[in-house]
Amino acid sequence: MDKLLIEGGTPLAGEIAISGAKNAALPLLCAALLTREPLTLTNVPALNDISTMLKLLAQMGVKIECHTVPAAKVGAGGAAFAAVTLDASGLDHPVAPYEMVKTMRASVLVLGPLTARCGEARVSLPGGCAIGARPVDQHIHGLQAMGAEITVEQGYVQARTTAAGGRLKGARLFTDMVTVTGTENLMMAACLADGETVIENAAREPEVVDLANCLIAMGARISGAGTDVIRIRGVERLSGTTHRIMPDRIETGTYLCAAAATGGEIRLTQTSSSYLDIVIDKLMDAGCEVTLEREAIRLKAPARLHAVSVRTAPYPAFPTDMQAQFMAINTVAEGTAVIRETIFENRFMHAVELIRLGADIKIDGNTAFVRGLQRLEGATVMATDLRASASLVIAGLAAQGETLIERIYHLDRGYEQMEAKLAALGARVRRVK
Ligand code: UD1
């Protein structure tokens, strides 16, 4: 298994390009299931989660063509901007097998589109996951309210439409909690339903809006995406289109944190600050100078950061996917930060690994108290999930000496060419086989 060796203590400096958003790309790939015409997505990040989703779609009968943009257009830091064309005209096997779903929870995003387009779907339950139980009951309840008959047998969700003509029916849906993929799944299903669907308590994440914009370009009638009430008037069929995936706001935030923790100065291009207001505010509270350009962000770190407390909650509040990175920057800040996680029940696994680097962190339920130290010392640590891995990279870059991060396959799931991008910023990092 690959490991990442980091020689810490060098302030990051320079410029890199940010990739397309993983969490926008995954539902957008599934949107191809809703139409018989080709859907082309550009700015697709080259990530393991994307390959997993492409394999899952291919075994259902979706034809996939990947085009890599010529080297001349590859951004600084080695980001490869690829386009993918998906043709689901031959979709004949609406099944998502366990072997594929178990490696990626977002596979559940095929459930809504398959049920809407084929009138049936058989999708394995995602199963347990390192950051909590993460059930899919809201996805299931929503589809049931739209007239699908659903049974759960032998670990598989079996959905079938019962109405004559096989279409789902528009319905008023209210989710018990704000769920991002739940909102996306139900919004996609509703596009082909008979009548109007209203999703209340909808997720407002920018990735939901990116998906809605693509669906609208495909002919869907959606209003309210980006608010907590989304209305979808179902149509009989959708067409193909070409859509550029939004920049990855979590990748952007992660590199900003890495520069902040190392006392560096960086410029990130092909990104936008518009979805990162709270993260940028917090970095400014920590003492960073942040300059916003139209499609770029520049950050200059102070000699020492101030501690900043955060509380995670659904968008537009502080994202849970940035919590681990902020814990890392607080380990070397001046003062004590309080970090509260309200979305996932088991998302502090990075804390014990940060403590191996010398960090002073106390956990009490869903709250972590982080007392900043002058410096961390390199050590061997283990990555436990995607964003936890990112926090260990940030801490390793800030620490004195060598840090060896084990199980970095988690990073490969969600960060495109991380070593190349960090190297372009002057970090001393190496992948060890
Ligand atoms: C998405 C993101 C993930 C991010 C998370 C929260 C993708 C591919 N992944 O995950 O990176 O960390 O949003 O911003 O976009 N829940 C239920 N029942 C359900 C659905 C959710 O109880 O049917 C709970 C979850 O266990 C969790 C909370 O609701 O506690 C929010 O989860 P959700 O927004 O659904 O996360 P994901 O969409 O899986």
Side-chain angles (χ1 to χ4, degrees):
M1 251 184 260
D2 289 7
K3 301 171 186 186
L4 199 65
L5 185 64
I6 302 178
E7 173 74 42
T10 309
L12 295 190
E15 178 174 311
I16 53 166
I18 291 300
S19 304
K22 169 180 86 75
N23 285 356
L26 292 170
L28 282 163
L29 291 169
C30 297
L33 293 169
L34 291 165
T35 173
R36 301 183 67 85
E37 295 180 19
L39 171 67
T40 297
L41 299 172
T42 64
N43 202 27
V44 182
L47 298 170
N48 284 354
D49 272 9
I50 301 298
S51 318
T52 305
M53 185 62 90
L54 291 175
K55 275 188 213 136
L56 180 64
L57 297 173
Q59 64 81 44
M60 292 176 188
V62 179
K63 277 201 220 107
I64 294 165
E65 243 182 273
C66 296
H67 337 264
T68 308
V69 172
K73 291 199 183 154
V74 170
F81 303 110
V84 176
T85 301
L86 303 108
D87 173 353
S89 56
L91 172 65
D92 59 0
H93 185 60
V95 176
Y98 176 67
E99 300 70 53
M100 292 185 159
V101 175
K102 72 174 181 199
T103 63
M104 187 179 65
R105 177 187 153 82
S107 316
V108 74
L109 282 163
V110 300
L111 180 64
L114 284 179
T115 312
R117 165 101 184 271
C118 308
E120 58 171 336
R122 188 170 143 78
V123 176
S124 169
L125 282 169
C129 155
I131 61 171
R134 302 180 88 179
V136 292
D137 53 314
Q138 302 302 311
H139 306 233
I140 292 177
H141 289 159
L143 288 172
Q144 282 172 328
M146 294 169 79
E149 208 175 75
I150 298 194
T151 52
V152 179
E153 275 166 28
Q154 296 172 326
Y156 276 78
V157 180
Q158 180 88 42
R160 193 179 299 279
T161 53
T162 49
R167 279 178 87 185
L168 289 167
K169 291 192 299 271
R172 203 171 181 86
L173 311 176
F174 189 93
T175 54
D176 289 349
M177 77 287 296
V178 177
T179 154
V180 179
T181 49
T183 301
E184 292 164 343
N185 226 341
L186 298 174
M187 180 167 75
M188 287 192 278
C191 288
L192 292 181
D194 186 11
E196 190 186 55
T197 299
V198 181
I199 308 176
E200 303 213 31
N201 201 24
R204 291 181 280 169
E205 266 67 3
E207 292 76 12
V208 174
V209 179
D210 203 29
L211 173 64
N213 287 340
C214 176
L215 292 167
I216 291 167
M218 292 165 73
R221 294 170 62 190
I222 301 174
S223 62
T227 75
D228 57 4
V229 182
I230 303 180
R231 287 172 195 279
I232 307 113
R233 185 158 283 285
V235 294
E236 283 198 17
R237 67 185 58 83
L238 293 177
S239 52
T241 191
T242 295
H243 177 83
R244 182 177 166 83
I245 296 171
M246 64 177 280
D248 197 313
R249 64 191 168 106
I250 306 300
E251 188 197 21
T252 306
T254 300
Y255 285 107
L256 292 177
C257 284
T262 57
E265 182 170 1
I266 63 168
R267 182 168 179 268
L268 304 177
T269 62
Q270 305 197 30
T271 187
S272 165
S273 61
S274 32
Y275 330 108
L276 272 170
D277 286 345
I278 190 150
V279 169
I280 288 171
D281 275 6
K282 292 284 177 189
L283 287 167
M284 285 163 65
D285 288 350
C288 297
E289 247 175 65
V290 182
T291 315
L292 307 180
E293 301 168 31
R294 211 169 69 83
E295 284 189 356
I297 305 176
R298 192 187 285 277
L299 178 140
K300 183 169 188 293
R304 177 120 192 250
L305 296 168
H306 309 300
V308 274
S309 296
V310 300
R311 176 182 178 279
T312 68
Y315 189 85
F318 191 88
T320 174
D321 285 351
M322 284 301 302
Q323 178 258 105
Q325 299 87 320
F326 267 70
M327 189 180 290
I329 69 169
N330 276 304
T331 61
V332 289
E334 192 176 345
T336 297
V338 180
I339 303 207
R340 194 156 287 147
E341 172 60 54
T342 76
I343 309 264
F344 293 114
E345 72 269 27
N346 188 17
R347 208 173 196 183
F348 281 151
M349 283 169 304
H350 40 283
V352 282
E353 301 298 315
L354 291 170
I355 290 169
R356 291 178 58 76
L357 298 172
D360 181 350
I361 305 172
K362 305 265 176 308
I363 306 280
D364 180 11
N366 71 347
T367 307
F369 300 89
V370 186
R371 193 173 66 85
L373 304 172
Q374 282 288 349
R375 56 187 227 172
L376 301 176
E377 299 287 345
T380 297
V381 291
M382 192 179 301
T384 49
D385 70 57
L386 173 55
R387 306 306 168 184
S389 320
S391 79
L392 298 178
V393 171
I394 293 168
L397 290 168
Q400 297 298 315
E402 270 187 9
T403 295
L404 184 66
I405 307 180
E406 298 190 345
R407 298 201 181 164
I408 56 155
Y409 57 84
H410 291 290
L411 280 176
D412 297 332
R413 288 186 46 202
Y415 288 93
E416 188 173 52
Q417 305 217 24
M418 194 181 224
E419 307 106 270
K421 290 192 185 189
L422 286 173
L425 295 174
R428 286 175 288 171
V429 286
R430 191 156 54 86
R431 185 178 285 252
V432 187
K433 294 279 173 193

Short mmCIF file of all heavy atoms in Angstrom, two decimals, residues 105-150:
data_model
loop_
_atom_site.label_atom_id
_atom_site.label_comp_id
_atom_site.label_asym_id
_atom_site.label_seq_id
_atom_site.Cartn_x
_atom_site.Cartn_y
_atom_site.Cartn_z
N ARG A 105 -19.66 5.17 -0.94
CA ARG A 105 -21.04 5.39 -0.53
C ARG A 105 -21.84 6.16 -1.59
O ARG A 105 -23.04 5.92 -1.78
CB ARG A 105 -21.01 6.16 0.79
CG ARG A 105 -22.37 6.52 1.29
CD ARG A 105 -22.27 7.42 2.51
NE ARG A 105 -23.46 8.23 2.59
CZ ARG A 105 -24.60 7.82 3.11
NH1 ARG A 105 -24.69 6.62 3.61
NH2 ARG A 105 -25.65 8.61 3.13
N ALA A 106 -21.16 7.07 -2.31
CA ALA A 106 -21.87 7.90 -3.29
C ALA A 106 -22.48 7.08 -4.42
O ALA A 106 -23.27 7.59 -5.22
CB ALA A 106 -20.95 8.97 -3.84
N SER A 107 -22.15 5.77 -4.50
CA SER A 107 -22.77 4.91 -5.52
C SER A 107 -24.29 4.90 -5.39
O SER A 107 -25.00 4.62 -6.36
CB SER A 107 -22.30 3.46 -5.38
OG SER A 107 -20.94 3.38 -5.17
N VAL A 108 -24.78 5.21 -4.19
CA VAL A 108 -26.23 5.22 -3.97
C VAL A 108 -26.92 6.26 -4.87
O VAL A 108 -28.13 6.22 -5.10
CB VAL A 108 -26.55 5.44 -2.47
CG1 VAL A 108 -26.31 6.87 -2.04
CG2 VAL A 108 -27.97 5.01 -2.14
N LEU A 109 -26.12 7.19 -5.43
CA LEU A 109 -26.67 8.22 -6.32
C LEU A 109 -27.26 7.65 -7.61
O LEU A 109 -27.92 8.37 -8.36
CB LEU A 109 -25.58 9.22 -6.67
CG LEU A 109 -25.26 10.27 -5.60
CD1 LEU A 109 -23.93 10.94 -5.86
CD2 LEU A 109 -26.38 11.30 -5.53
N VAL A 110 -27.04 6.37 -7.89
CA VAL A 110 -27.65 5.79 -9.09
C VAL A 110 -29.10 5.38 -8.83
O VAL A 110 -29.87 5.17 -9.76
CB VAL A 110 -26.86 4.55 -9.63
CG1 VAL A 110 -25.43 4.95 -10.00
CG2 VAL A 110 -26.85 3.40 -8.63
N LEU A 111 -29.47 5.26 -7.55
CA LEU A 111 -30.80 4.71 -7.21
C LEU A 111 -31.95 5.55 -7.80
O LEU A 111 -32.86 5.00 -8.43
CB LEU A 111 -30.93 4.60 -5.68
CG LEU A 111 -32.24 4.05 -5.15
CD1 LEU A 111 -32.45 2.60 -5.59
CD2 LEU A 111 -32.29 4.12 -3.61
N GLY A 112 -31.91 6.85 -7.58
CA GLY A 112 -32.99 7.72 -8.07
C GLY A 112 -33.07 7.71 -9.59
O GLY A 112 -34.14 7.41 -10.16
N PRO A 113 -31.96 8.01 -10.28
CA PRO A 113 -32.02 8.03 -11.75
C PRO A 113 -32.44 6.69 -12.36
O PRO A 113 -33.24 6.66 -13.31
CB PRO A 113 -30.58 8.38 -12.17
CG PRO A 113 -29.98 9.04 -10.99
CD PRO A 113 -30.68 8.52 -9.77
N LEU A 114 -31.94 5.57 -11.81
CA LEU A 114 -32.31 4.26 -12.39
C LEU A 114 -33.79 4.00 -12.22
O LEU A 114 -34.46 3.55 -13.15
CB LEU A 114 -31.51 3.13 -11.70
CG LEU A 114 -30.04 2.97 -12.08
CD1 LEU A 114 -29.42 1.83 -11.27
CD2 LEU A 114 -29.87 2.71 -13.58
N THR A 115 -34.33 4.28 -11.02
CA THR A 115 -35.75 4.02 -10.78
C THR A 115 -36.60 4.88 -11.71
O THR A 115 -37.59 4.42 -12.29
CB THR A 115 -36.11 4.30 -9.31
OG1 THR A 115 -35.14 3.66 -8.48
CG2 THR A 115 -37.48 3.78 -8.95
N ALA A 116 -36.18 6.14 -11.89
CA ALA A 116 -36.95 7.05 -12.73
C ALA A 116 -36.90 6.63 -14.20
O ALA A 116 -37.91 6.67 -14.90
CB ALA A 116 -36.40 8.47 -12.58
N ARG A 117 -35.74 6.24 -14.67
CA ARG A 117 -35.59 5.93 -16.11
C ARG A 117 -36.05 4.51 -16.45
O ARG A 117 -36.70 4.29 -17.47
CB ARG A 117 -34.12 6.12 -16.49
CG ARG A 117 -33.69 5.52 -17.80
CD ARG A 117 -33.58 6.50 -18.94
NE ARG A 117 -33.26 5.79 -20.16
CZ ARG A 117 -32.04 5.52 -20.58
NH1 ARG A 117 -31.00 5.95 -19.88
NH2 ARG A 117 -31.84 4.85 -21.70
N CYS A 118 -35.70 3.52 -15.61
CA CYS A 118 -35.97 2.11 -15.95
C CYS A 118 -37.22 1.57 -15.25
O CYS A 118 -37.65 0.48 -15.56
CB CYS A 118 -34.79 1.23 -15.55
SG CYS A 118 -33.22 1.78 -16.18
N GLY A 119 -37.73 2.30 -14.25
CA GLY A 119 -38.88 1.78 -13.51
C GLY A 119 -38.45 0.73 -12.49
O GLY A 119 -39.28 0.17 -11.77
N GLU A 120 -37.17 0.45 -12.42
CA GLU A 120 -36.68 -0.50 -11.42
C GLU A 120 -35.19 -0.28 -11.19
O GLU A 120 -34.49 0.28 -12.05
CB GLU A 120 -36.92 -1.95 -11.87
CG GLU A 120 -36.25 -2.25 -13.18
CD GLU A 120 -36.27 -3.73 -13.54
OE1 GLU A 120 -36.38 -4.57 -12.63
OE2 GLU A 120 -36.17 -4.03 -14.73
N ALA A 121 -34.73 -0.72 -10.02
CA ALA A 121 -33.30 -0.63 -9.71
C ALA A 121 -33.00 -1.60 -8.59
O ALA A 121 -33.85 -1.88 -7.75
CB ALA A 121 -32.95 0.79 -9.27
N ARG A 122 -31.77 -2.11 -8.61
CA ARG A 122 -31.31 -2.98 -7.53
C ARG A 122 -29.94 -2.46 -7.12
O ARG A 122 -28.97 -2.55 -7.88
CB ARG A 122 -31.23 -4.42 -8.06
CG ARG A 122 -30.96 -5.45 -7.01
CD ARG A 122 -31.15 -6.84 -7.64
NE ARG A 122 -30.17 -7.77 -7.12
CZ ARG A 122 -30.26 -8.35 -5.92
NH1 ARG A 122 -31.29 -8.10 -5.15
NH2 ARG A 122 -29.31 -9.16 -5.50
N VAL A 123 -29.89 -1.84 -5.94
CA VAL A 123 -28.67 -1.15 -5.53
C VAL A 123 -28.25 -1.65 -4.15
O VAL A 123 -29.05 -1.63 -3.21
CB VAL A 123 -28.91 0.39 -5.49
CG1 VAL A 123 -27.68 1.13 -4.98
CG2 VAL A 123 -29.29 0.89 -6.88
N SER A 124 -27.02 -2.06 -4.04
CA SER A 124 -26.53 -2.55 -2.76
C SER A 124 -26.53 -1.43 -1.73
O SER A 124 -26.26 -0.27 -2.06
CB SER A 124 -25.11 -3.08 -2.93
OG SER A 124 -24.54 -3.32 -1.67
N LEU A 125 -26.84 -1.75 -0.48
CA LEU A 125 -26.73 -0.75 0.59
C LEU A 125 -25.25 -0.43 0.77
O LEU A 125 -24.41 -1.32 0.69
CB LEU A 125 -27.28 -1.32 1.89
CG LEU A 125 -28.80 -1.34 2.02
CD1 LEU A 125 -29.20 -2.16 3.22
CD2 LEU A 125 -29.36 0.08 2.14
N PRO A 126 -24.93 0.85 1.04
CA PRO A 126 -23.53 1.22 1.14
C PRO A 126 -22.80 0.56 2.31
O PRO A 126 -21.60 0.40 2.28
CB PRO A 126 -23.55 2.74 1.32
CG PRO A 126 -24.93 3.18 1.05
CD PRO A 126 -25.83 1.99 1.13
N GLY A 127 -23.51 0.16 3.34
CA GLY A 127 -22.82 -0.47 4.48
C GLY A 127 -22.14 0.55 5.35
O GLY A 127 -22.25 1.76 5.13
N GLY A 128 -21.43 0.06 6.36
CA GLY A 128 -20.79 0.95 7.34
C GLY A 128 -19.69 1.77 6.70
O GLY A 128 -19.23 1.47 5.61
N CYS A 129 -19.30 2.79 7.38
CA CYS A 129 -18.28 3.67 6.83
C CYS A 129 -17.53 4.27 8.01
O CYS A 129 -18.09 4.44 9.09
CB CYS A 129 -18.96 4.75 6.00
SG CYS A 129 -18.06 6.26 5.84
N ALA A 130 -16.25 4.54 7.79
CA ALA A 130 -15.40 4.96 8.91
C ALA A 130 -15.92 6.20 9.64
O ALA A 130 -15.66 6.37 10.82
CB ALA A 130 -14.00 5.21 8.39
N ILE A 131 -16.67 7.09 8.95
CA ILE A 131 -17.08 8.31 9.65
C ILE A 131 -18.52 8.26 10.14
O ILE A 131 -19.17 9.26 10.30
CB ILE A 131 -16.80 9.60 8.84
CG1 ILE A 131 -17.55 9.62 7.52
CG2 ILE A 131 -15.33 9.80 8.63
CD1 ILE A 131 -17.46 10.99 6.83
N GLY A 132 -19.01 7.07 10.43
CA GLY A 132 -20.33 6.98 11.05
C GLY A 132 -21.25 6.03 10.30
O GLY A 132 -20.87 5.47 9.27
N ALA A 133 -22.45 5.85 10.81
CA ALA A 133 -23.37 4.86 10.25
C ALA A 133 -23.85 5.26 8.85
O ALA A 133 -23.98 4.43 7.97
CB ALA A 133 -24.55 4.68 11.19
N ARG A 134 -24.14 6.52 8.65
CA ARG A 134 -24.54 7.06 7.34
C ARG A 134 -25.61 6.25 6.61
O ARG A 134 -25.36 5.70 5.54
CB ARG A 134 -23.32 7.26 6.45
CG ARG A 134 -22.30 8.18 7.06
CD ARG A 134 -21.10 8.39 6.18
NE ARG A 134 -21.25 9.48 5.24
CZ ARG A 134 -20.32 9.84 4.38
NH1 ARG A 134 -19.19 9.20 4.33
NH2 ARG A 134 -20.51 10.85 3.58
N PRO A 135 -26.81 6.15 7.18
CA PRO A 135 -27.87 5.40 6.50
C PRO A 135 -28.39 6.12 5.25
O PRO A 135 -28.04 7.27 5.01
CB PRO A 135 -28.97 5.33 7.57
CG PRO A 135 -28.70 6.45 8.50
CD PRO A 135 -27.24 6.77 8.43
N VAL A 136 -29.24 5.42 4.48
CA VAL A 136 -29.82 6.03 3.27
C VAL A 136 -31.35 6.03 3.36
O VAL A 136 -32.03 6.05 2.34
CB VAL A 136 -29.35 5.33 1.97
CG1 VAL A 136 -27.88 5.59 1.72
CG2 VAL A 136 -29.63 3.84 1.99
N ASP A 137 -31.86 6.01 4.59
CA ASP A 137 -33.32 5.95 4.78
C ASP A 137 -34.05 7.11 4.11
O ASP A 137 -35.16 6.95 3.60
CB ASP A 137 -33.65 5.89 6.28
CG ASP A 137 -33.00 7.02 7.05
OD1 ASP A 137 -31.79 7.27 6.84
OD2 ASP A 137 -33.68 7.67 7.87
N GLN A 138 -33.44 8.29 4.07
CA GLN A 138 -34.13 9.45 3.48
C GLN A 138 -34.27 9.30 1.97
O GLN A 138 -35.28 9.72 1.40
CB GLN A 138 -33.36 10.75 3.80
CG GLN A 138 -33.17 11.00 5.28
CD GLN A 138 -34.48 11.06 6.05
OE1 GLN A 138 -35.41 11.76 5.65
NE2 GLN A 138 -34.56 10.30 7.12
N HIS A 139 -33.27 8.70 1.35
CA HIS A 139 -33.35 8.45 -0.10
C HIS A 139 -34.53 7.50 -0.36
O HIS A 139 -35.33 7.70 -1.28
CB HIS A 139 -32.07 7.77 -0.63
CG HIS A 139 -30.79 8.49 -0.31
ND1 HIS A 139 -29.87 8.82 -1.28
CD2 HIS A 139 -30.24 8.92 0.85
CE1 HIS A 139 -28.82 9.42 -0.73
NE2 HIS A 139 -29.03 9.48 0.57
N ILE A 140 -34.62 6.47 0.48
CA ILE A 140 -35.65 5.44 0.30
C ILE A 140 -37.05 6.01 0.55
O ILE A 140 -37.97 5.84 -0.26
CB ILE A 140 -35.35 4.23 1.22
CG1 ILE A 140 -34.08 3.53 0.73
CG2 ILE A 140 -36.53 3.25 1.27
CD1 ILE A 140 -33.62 2.37 1.59
N HIS A 141 -37.20 6.75 1.66
CA HIS A 141 -38.52 7.34 1.98
C HIS A 141 -38.99 8.25 0.85
O HIS A 141 -40.16 8.25 0.49
CB HIS A 141 -38.46 8.14 3.28
CG HIS A 141 -38.33 7.26 4.48
ND1 HIS A 141 -37.85 7.71 5.69
CD2 HIS A 141 -38.60 5.95 4.66
CE1 HIS A 141 -37.82 6.71 6.54
NE2 HIS A 141 -38.28 5.63 5.94
N GLY A 142 -38.08 9.03 0.32
CA GLY A 142 -38.43 9.97 -0.75
C GLY A 142 -38.97 9.23 -1.97
O GLY A 142 -39.99 9.59 -2.54
N LEU A 143 -38.26 8.16 -2.37
CA LEU A 143 -38.69 7.41 -3.56
C LEU A 143 -40.01 6.71 -3.29
O LEU A 143 -40.87 6.61 -4.18
CB LEU A 143 -37.61 6.41 -3.98
CG LEU A 143 -36.36 7.03 -4.60
CD1 LEU A 143 -35.27 5.99 -4.80
CD2 LEU A 143 -36.69 7.70 -5.94
N GLN A 144 -40.20 6.24 -2.05
CA GLN A 144 -41.50 5.61 -1.71
C GLN A 144 -42.63 6.62 -1.84
O GLN A 144 -43.69 6.33 -2.39
CB GLN A 144 -41.45 5.05 -0.28
CG GLN A 144 -40.70 3.72 -0.20
CD GLN A 144 -40.47 3.26 1.23
OE1 GLN A 144 -40.31 4.08 2.13
NE2 GLN A 144 -40.43 1.95 1.43
N ALA A 145 -42.37 7.84 -1.35
CA ALA A 145 -43.40 8.88 -1.45
C ALA A 145 -43.72 9.18 -2.91
O ALA A 145 -44.82 9.63 -3.25
CB ALA A 145 -42.93 10.15 -0.73
N MET A 146 -42.77 8.92 -3.80
CA MET A 146 -43.00 9.15 -5.24
C MET A 146 -43.58 7.92 -5.92
O MET A 146 -43.62 7.83 -7.16
CB MET A 146 -41.68 9.56 -5.91
CG MET A 146 -41.16 10.90 -5.43
SD MET A 146 -39.48 11.22 -5.96
CE MET A 146 -39.79 11.73 -7.59
N GLY A 147 -44.00 6.97 -5.12
CA GLY A 147 -44.73 5.82 -5.67
C GLY A 147 -43.89 4.59 -5.95
O GLY A 147 -44.39 3.63 -6.54
N ALA A 148 -42.62 4.59 -5.55
CA ALA A 148 -41.81 3.38 -5.78
C ALA A 148 -42.09 2.38 -4.66
O ALA A 148 -42.28 2.76 -3.51
CB ALA A 148 -40.33 3.73 -5.81
N GLU A 149 -42.13 1.11 -5.06
CA GLU A 149 -42.25 0.05 -4.06
C GLU A 149 -40.83 -0.38 -3.74
O GLU A 149 -40.06 -0.72 -4.66
CB GLU A 149 -43.00 -1.11 -4.72
CG GLU A 149 -43.78 -1.96 -3.77
CD GLU A 149 -44.56 -2.98 -4.58
OE1 GLU A 149 -43.93 -3.94 -5.06
OE2 GLU A 149 -45.76 -2.77 -4.76
N ILE A 150 -40.48 -0.33 -2.46
CA ILE A 150 -39.07 -0.63 -2.13
C ILE A 150 -38.98 -1.73 -1.09
O ILE A 150 -39.66 -1.70 -0.07
CB ILE A 150 -38.36 0.65 -1.64
CG1 ILE A 150 -38.38 1.69 -2.76
CG2 ILE A 150 -36.93 0.34 -1.19
CD1 ILE A 150 -37.48 2.86 -2.61
#
